[in-house]
Amino acid sequence: MAKIKSAYFCQSCGYESAKWLGKCPSCNSWNTFVEEVVEKAGAKVPAWEISGTTKRSNKPNKVADIASSTEQKVSTSDLELDRVLGGGLVAGSVILIGGEPGIGKSTLMLQVALNIPGKKVLYVSGEESEQQIKMRAERITTDPTADCYILTETSTQNIFKQIEVLEPDIIIVDSIQTLHSAHIESTPGSVSQVRECTAELLRFAKETDTPVFLIGHITKDGAIAGPKILEHMVDTVLQFEGDRHHVYRILRSVKNRFGAAAELGIYAMHSAGLRQVSNPSEILLSQRDEELSGIAIAATLEGARPMLIETQALVSIAAYGTPQRSATGFDTRRMNMLLAVLEKRCGFRLSTRDVFLNLAGGIKVEDPAIDLAILAAIISSHEDIFISSKICFAAEVGLSGEIRAVNRIEQRISEADKLGFERIFVSNYNLKGLVLDKYSIEVTGVSKIEDVFSLLFG
């Protein structure tokens, strides 16, 4: 009888050790090692290979001798998902989608499976029954003739047997943490099982040119559950974000080998499924009847998409002596830096004031081009003077109070012009070589924060 082999794995990063360790040498986490059986006793079985055909080994080729090829991308009929993927699905790609429980990952994937034209889709579910998926499908589609097949199975060996019979064009797995392989003697969801099941699906996708979607759970810290190597193995990592108490959902690209890794897709959750939001400004700009202080509009970019976003600030007297600093959707450390610039360069005494910042729509922005809008909103609330809703901002602020140029200013100005804004503040350096005659919006160049405040508040 063969001896059963076991090893110790770090539950945080997947580091493997022959013995138990108190501290992981890879991620420095304490008490995260657990023992798992990594090889089952008995003869080895091929992982996913269904046919016993042999393959020739690869040989090295000179770069100049390798034939160039253009990846043909298949549209998913979901424009938001296509944008985030870089134009569509690539043959043999493996896409990992993570998100909080109940955020809508399964709804999104089932919606995609039911709407891809001319493609046979296999939806593998290890969490729900066929009846549950049928009920959701009836709610989100009116076409019962979609070429979509449902399989409720958790064993990868049984899944590959059904794939051999059905021969689907696209495979969706919900979720990777529920699958288990007979080659690993450990519970589903463990580090070794997640890694082995993903490796089997990855080999299958690459050798058969079949796109595979993997739905993944996340930890309480927001990271995808399982070893970090899981994100390195796949081609694309998408994060599905949003608040379950609000209707809007954001699909963000974290990693993409076939497109930009900073794209954004926006959906609205309704009773009939997820609706694509083609114009993000409809949710990022609030409709108000009167002008209010503490509000400024910023022109930002997410990937290749320009958006107008509303920044809201509230400045009040610190009630308990120690001022509070809170930011939603923006880096709090950068907000503190901007507040220090206001005190040092402009003379505004905010050290005894509470400052609260919020970006409307529940979106998170890292674009430095919204710096000027944030400072304008803070001063507007501090002085209780409103900023016209027809004015927007697109500039970065430096530590010396200078207004710095931002990239792709033409797209920002065009988006503001299209939405009916009358004036936009940009850096003087962005005006070089810019043709202003083609815009109906007034473009104002500034070089210091004091110039902006004098033009806005006198």
Side-chain angles (χ1 to χ4, degrees):
M1 181 177 178
K3 184 179 180 181
I4 296 178
K5 180 182 176 183
S6 64
Y8 292 85
F9 292 91
C10 173
Q11 295 295 297
S12 297
C13 67
Y15 182 82
E16 182 179 352
S17 173
K19 61 180 181 179
W20 185 86
L21 300 174
K23 182 180 179 181
C24 176
S26 176
C27 64
N28 297 324
S29 300
W30 287 91
N31 298 324
T32 56
F33 277 89
V34 293
E35 184 180 10
E36 295 179 4
V37 178
V38 295
E39 186 176 352
K40 192 174 181 180
K44 291 185 178 179
V45 194
W48 70 269
E49 290 82 1
I50 299 160
S51 61
T53 58
T54 59
K55 293 174 55 181
R56 291 183 300 174
S57 60
N58 294 328
K59 296 180 179 180
N61 293 313
K62 193 175 180 180
V63 175
D65 298 335
I66 300 175
S68 300
S69 63
T70 304
E71 294 288 352
Q72 189 67 28
K73 297 186 177 181
V74 178
S75 173
T76 63
S77 75
D78 188 324
L79 298 180
E80 296 297 304
L81 180 59
D82 284 348
R83 177 188 291 109
V84 176
L85 290 177
L89 278 175
V90 177
S93 61
V94 180
I95 300 104
L96 176 63
I97 300 180
E100 293 184 357
I103 204 67
K105 304 183 296 299
S106 300
T107 301
L108 175 64
M109 285 294 95
L110 184 59
Q111 203 166 283
V112 169
L114 294 171
N115 293 322
I116 295 183
K119 297 294 181 182
K120 185 187 297 184
V121 183
L122 176 61
Y123 187 98
V124 181
S125 176
E127 299 180 342
E128 297 176 300
S129 65
E130 294 180 349
Q131 289 73 23
Q132 289 176 303
I133 301 174
K134 171 70 173 178
M135 291 171 58
R136 182 185 294 121
E138 291 177 342
R139 191 180 76 246
I140 64 179
T141 185
T142 57
D143 181 18
T145 61
D147 201 10
C148 175
Y149 295 82
I150 307 298
L151 173 64
T152 54
E153 182 61 67
T154 57
S155 171
T156 56
Q157 281 68 35
N158 294 337
I159 291 173
F160 287 124
K161 288 180 182 178
Q162 298 303 321
I163 290 175
E164 181 185 18
V165 176
L166 186 63
E167 296 182 353
D169 300 313
I170 298 172
I171 298 173
I172 299 174
V173 178
D174 184 11
S175 63
I176 187 61
Q177 278 81 12
T178 62
L179 300 190
H180 66 89
S181 172
H183 306 148
I184 303 295
E185 191 72 18
S186 59
T187 58
S190 62
V191 171
S192 55
Q193 280 286 6
V194 171
R195 182 174 53 195
E196 177 63 24
C197 293
T198 304
E200 291 181 13
L201 289 167
L202 182 66
R203 290 195 296 270
F204 167 79
K206 298 303 180 185
E207 296 188 19
T208 62
D209 287 338
T210 304
V212 177
F213 283 95
L214 303 178
I215 297 178
H217 299 163
I218 65 170
T219 63
K220 62 181 180 181
D221 298 326
I224 295 178
K228 191 67 177 178
I229 194 176
L230 179 64
E231 298 180 37
H232 293 283
M233 294 168 66
V234 300
D235 299 306
T236 305
V237 179
L238 306 180
Q239 194 77 19
F240 207 38
E241 305 171 353
D243 191 340
R244 284 181 293 174
H245 303 291
H246 294 81
V247 298
Y248 297 108
R249 303 288 187 268
I250 297 171
L251 184 64
R252 190 186 302 273
S253 174
V254 179
K255 168 193 173 183
N256 193 356
R257 289 175 179 163
F258 308 109
E263 289 293 346
L264 199 73
I266 300 180
Y267 298 86
M269 176 67 80
H270 297 286
S271 58
L274 291 162
R275 178 180 66 86
Q276 303 173 42
V277 179
S278 57
N279 182 17
S281 298
E282 71 179 68
I283 67 170
L284 303 179
L285 296 179
S286 62
Q287 306 296 326
R288 53 184 188 271
D289 298 329
E290 57 180 346
E291 302 285 4
L292 302 172
S293 63
I295 296 177
I297 310 300
T300 182
L301 281 173
E302 284 290 341
R305 167 184 280 188
M307 296 186 297
L308 275 296
I309 186 170
E310 182 177 292
T311 61
Q312 303 171 345
L314 176 62
V315 180
S316 61
I317 299 175
Y320 303 103
T322 303
Q324 301 182 62
R325 302 284 189 264
S326 176
T328 303
F330 190 70
D331 188 4
T332 306
R333 292 172 297 180
R334 187 166 184 86
M335 184 188 72
N336 291 332
M337 183 196 75
L338 295 175
L339 292 176
V341 172
L342 279 180
E343 289 214 22
K344 178 71 174 180
R345 304 299 177 186
C346 302
F348 290 100
R349 301 303 175 190
L350 299 173
S351 57
T352 60
R353 303 278 180 162
D354 292 337
V355 180
F356 303 95
L357 180 68
N358 178 55
L359 300 186
I363 191 172
K364 297 179 181 178
V365 178
E366 298 178 354
D367 187 4
I370 70 171
D371 287 353
L372 188 56
I374 288 175
L375 290 183
I378 291 173
I379 297 306
S380 172
S381 176
H382 182 264
E383 300 295 329
D384 200 17
I385 303 175
F386 70 87
I387 299 174
S388 173
S389 59
K390 297 297 182 181
I391 296 177
C392 60
F393 306 85
E396 181 183 355
V397 178
L399 291 180
S400 60
E402 79 278 11
I403 306 299
R404 302 174 62 87
V406 294
N407 62 340
R408 292 154 68 183
I409 192 65
E410 295 89 353
Q411 288 183 262
R412 303 174 194 265
I413 297 175
S414 298
E415 183 71 10
D417 191 13
K418 184 177 68 175
L419 293 176
F421 283 83
E422 298 174 355
R423 191 178 190 183
I424 182 171
F425 285 88
V426 301
S427 171
N428 273 330
Y429 297 99
N430 275 131
L431 297 179
K432 297 179 180 179
L434 193 65
V435 181
L436 301 179
D437 297 337
K438 61 180 180 180
Y439 305 112
S440 58
I441 187 174
E442 178 186 353
V443 181
T444 304
V446 288
S447 57
K448 294 183 179 181
I449 305 180
E450 296 90 328
D451 302 337
V452 181
F453 293 157
S454 63
L455 292 172
L456 286 176
F457 311 113

